[in-house]
Amino acid sequence: MFLGLDASTQSISAAIIDPDTSTVIASDSVNFGAELPQYNAPSGFIPDGPDGEVHTDPSMWMDALEILLHRLKSKGVDLSKITAISGAGQQHASVYLSEKFHSAVANLSADKSLSEQLVPTLTRATSPIWMDSSTEAECAEVTASVPDTLSISGSVATMRFTGPQIRKFFKNSPDDYKQTTVIHLNSSFFSSILAGKSSSIDTGDGAGMNLMDLASSTWHKDLLDATAPDLESKLPPIEQAGTFVSNISSYFVEKYGFSSDCKAHSWTGDNPASLVGMGAAASGKMIISLGTSDTLFSAMPEPKTDPNGYGHVFGNPIEGGSYMSLLCFSNGSLARERLKKDCNLQWSDFEAEALEQTPLGNDGKLVAPFYTPETTPKVDSHNIHTNDWDFDSASNNTKVRALLEGQFLNVRLNSQWMGLTPDNVLLTGGASKNSGIAQTISNVFNVPTKRLTSDASSVSIGSAIVAAVANGHSYKDLAEKFCTTSAETASPQQGAEIYDTRLSEYETLIKSIV
Ligand code: ADP
Ligand code: XUL
């Protein structure tokens, strides 16, 4: 059996797969806001940070891992049967640790909690996460020093990426930066904890730092120098996801009943793991993930960069040496939740049946729903933008349609550089079960949408697959067993061609605000 963990923005989840019987043996999830309210992070991050800062407390992540493992054990899941573990973390989030981390993680006592033992090794109390947009100056500085950042690393200097975040920490807290001897991503922090020793960063998550040379999968000297002094000595090495780190730490053997032979493998980012879990790591399928962020991604044989600078190229966690493309839309689920709350709606008001009340194309009423700074396109916004109609006085049905059409016209507009012409769009993430969202995507892209047959998250299934592949299973076989897709969840409605016209009108709206 193989355990895959998914340490995402709002929760940590697990899926255990058994390739011999083609079954998902168990899955579970711990929601940070609901189950750890003492951290005051209802959506997984500390709200109202100054100047676009969005941080979270890594102690909360560790506590949630313990609740999750404890719950699996109490449900009677025999964790001693797990051969190997891998996982995936929300991308770009970083953890700053002192020299003390190495001995603390190697000598964890099962009598105490992870957070009790590891919090004293943090040199930065909180972790900047992917929603942070506070590093405009640092991005400009990196770009001025290394004008080729896009062609070297696969992305322009990007505010949420880890390099600019490290630079900000170095500039604002030089003494704490000096005390920092290891900088981990959320993913490599967790794989280090499970292994009881500092783990590598993989090429999927490592590419989201503006520090990695995509062509050689090594840290790039000019980018390191442009970011902060002595940075290379503080970064773990880069390796393919699923690299064996060590047998699992005795902490987990004693406390949760894992076998001491269980292998801990290196992790990747949530989007790269989702690519694997959707059965799409080896082909040109198009995935839209509707988690906290909305993302669009696809496997890519050769790195091709976005001329507009919004898209990214990451390493592919399965096909060694190949790549994946990714676009991230920060106003995803939280924007839908915001409209739902502002208008006192239910998710049923976003379902396909409710959308029947309004016409496809919304009579030309478009909206760019950027309640918080948007990454694609890059806009420092705190509100919605319309093409000259009064959003507030419109009916709730019109608002919902405008928001959903606006979100997915934005996705279609910004994905054109990838040149994908898929037969369908595969959907995943918490909001993918919503029929109105699936219908809108199907209409806007004018192809059917599908989902995975299994209910477990594609990120945790993908992570379990990474662990199984590292232990001799073939990805093709595992994808046939665990990544089967449903019949169509939606197909384009009559009149969906209207979105070709709406797309150019939407582009005009976006040009007026960028
Ligand atoms: P993450 O992995 O980023 O933590 P998830 O993939 O778990 O996020 O998705 C969580 C999001 O799913 C929530 O923010 C919520 O808005 C959204 N969601 C859950 N149920 C529905 C629904 N029925 N309709 C639309 N959105 C939903
Ligand atoms: C991707 C991104 C987000 C996070 C959280 O670049 O920033 O999708 O991975 O899911």
Side-chain angles (χ1 to χ4, degrees):
M1 298 189 334
F2 298 92
L3 167 61
L5 292 163
D6 164 12
S8 67
T9 312
Q10 302 193 52
S11 55
I12 179 159
S13 311
I16 300 173
I17 61 166
D18 181 354
D20 293 340
T21 57
S22 307
T23 44
V24 179
I25 300 283
S27 62
D28 215 321
S29 189
V30 173
N31 182 281
F32 302 133
E35 301 196 43
L36 292 157
Q38 65 273 30
Y39 284 101
N40 296 316
S43 298
F45 56 89
I46 303 161
D48 306 321
D51 305 320
E53 204 170 272
V54 185
H55 283 213
T56 199
D57 187 340
S59 177
M60 178 182 77
W61 298 336
M62 292 185 260
D63 289 354
L65 173 65
E66 305 231 44
I67 297 174
L68 180 66
L69 295 177
H70 179 72
R71 192 176 291 162
L72 287 170
K73 189 181 161 195
S74 350
K75 279 203 308 197
V77 178
D78 185 356
L79 296 174
S80 74
K81 296 231 169 72
I82 297 193
T83 309
I85 310 176
S86 185
Q90 57 169 301
Q91 297 200 253
H92 320 295
S94 43
V95 185
Y96 299 75
L97 300 146
S98 71
E99 189 56 40
K100 288 189 287 186
F101 174 66
H102 296 287
S103 64
V105 82
N107 297 296
L108 290 169
S109 154
D111 299 334
K112 294 184 187 157
S113 68
L114 291 172
S115 54
E116 255 178 287
Q117 298 174 83
L118 295 177
V119 165
T121 73
L122 293 172
T123 53
R124 193 178 193 181
T126 55
S127 291
I129 71 157
W130 63 274
M131 296 168 85
D132 191 292
S133 61
S134 68
T135 59
E136 176 107 59
E138 289 74 18
C139 288
E141 288 155 7
V142 169
T143 309
S145 302
V146 188
D148 296 340
T149 300
L150 172 61
S151 59
I152 296 168
S153 74
S155 303
V156 298
T158 303
M159 292 196 280
R160 69 187 188 285
F161 276 37
T162 322
Q165 294 292 341
I166 293 172
R167 179 161 179 78
K168 182 178 157 196
F169 181 52
F170 153 68
K171 281 167 55 185
N172 293 355
S173 311
D175 293 339
D176 296 338
Y177 177 76
K178 222 173 181 179
Q179 291 304 313
T180 304
T181 53
V182 200
I183 301 175
H184 273 298
L185 293 179
N186 169 299
S187 56
S188 59
F189 179 58
F190 271 116
S191 51
S192 304
I193 292 174
L194 288 163
K197 69 185 261 210
S198 197
S199 156
S200 50
I201 286 178
D202 89 299
T203 59
D205 224 9
M209 300 174 78
N210 282 142
L211 294 171
M212 191 184 100
D213 177 7
L214 258 187
S216 62
S217 298
T218 54
W219 300 124
H220 192 276
K221 187 172 179 326
D222 295 350
L223 287 170
L224 294 170
D225 291 348
T227 300
D230 301 324
L231 183 52
E232 188 158 18
S233 69
K234 302 177 199 281
L235 293 174
I238 302 170
E239 289 176 326
Q240 182 73 16
T243 298
F244 172 71
V245 186
S246 165
N247 279 6
I248 194 166
S249 154
S250 58
Y251 180 87
F252 297 95
V253 176
E254 286 172 39
K255 203 160 181 176
Y256 300 107
F258 283 89
S259 154
S260 54
D261 292 332
C262 174
K263 296 178 189 164
H265 292 265
S266 64
W267 286 32
T268 185
D270 56 359
N271 293 294
S274 185
L275 182 83
V276 176
M278 295 301 287
S283 62
K285 294 180 187 170
M286 185 199 271
I287 323 291
I288 294 183
S289 168
L290 304 151
T292 310
S293 58
D294 289 345
T295 57
L296 180 147
F297 49 85
S298 183
M300 217 186 203
E302 295 296 329
K304 175 176 163 189
T305 50
D306 177 2
N308 293 315
Y310 302 134
H312 311 290
V313 186
F314 295 156
N316 182 321
I318 288 286
E319 296 291 299
S322 83
Y323 304 91
M324 65 180 284
S325 53
L326 180 127
L327 282 164
C328 176
F329 303 86
S330 31
N331 283 275
S333 281
L334 297 182
R336 292 184 283 274
E337 283 180 24
R338 168 75 184 267
L339 181 69
K340 177 170 166 276
K341 183 164 168 268
D342 285 356
C343 299
N344 207 5
L345 303 173
Q346 308 296 321
W347 283 133
S348 55
D349 296 307
F350 292 69
E351 296 278 349
E353 211 166 83
L355 293 185
E356 294 292 325
Q357 307 301 316
T358 45
L360 269 62
N362 216 22
D363 294 322
K365 295 192 175 78
L366 293 172
V367 65
F370 303 154
Y371 290 105
T372 56
E374 180 50 61
T375 44
T376 311
K378 186 166 165 281
V379 187
D380 185 14
S381 162
H382 296 274
N383 215 333
I384 55 158
H385 306 262
T386 68
N387 55 346
D388 286 332
W389 57 284
D390 184 12
F391 188 81
D392 291 333
S393 65
S395 72
N396 286 341
N397 285 330
T398 299
K399 287 179 186 168
V400 170
R401 181 175 279 286
L403 181 109
L404 295 182
E405 290 187 346
Q407 287 189 316
F408 299 108
L409 281 166
N410 192 37
V411 175
R412 179 171 159 192
L413 181 68
N414 286 291
S415 59
Q416 286 171 326
W417 65 276
M418 293 179 188
L420 296 169
T421 49
D423 296 335
N424 51 52
V425 179
L426 300 180
L427 303 183
T428 184
S432 65
K433 58 174 167 281
N434 186 301
S435 64
I437 294 175
Q439 186 61 66
T440 307
I441 294 173
S442 175
N443 287 343
V444 168
F445 282 85
N446 213 354
V447 289
T449 54
K450 292 183 164 201
R451 300 180 61 210
L452 282 191
T453 320
S454 153
D455 276 340
S457 94
S458 54
V459 179
S460 37
I461 294 284
S463 301
I465 289 177
V466 167
V469 169
N471 285 277
H473 288 265
S474 106
Y475 178 55
K476 193 167 165 289
D477 284 356
L478 293 166
E480 277 165 16
K481 288 176 175 167
F482 295 103
C483 315
T484 51
T485 44
S486 62
E488 288 167 11
T489 51
S491 47
Q493 288 175 294
Q494 204 175 1
E497 318 74 55
I498 196 160
Y499 294 105
D500 293 340
T501 315
R502 290 289 173 271
L503 191 68
S504 54
E505 294 166 4
Y506 192 83
E507 189 170 15
T508 307
L509 168 63
I510 290 293
K511 281 189 177 143
S512 71
I513 57 177
V514 168

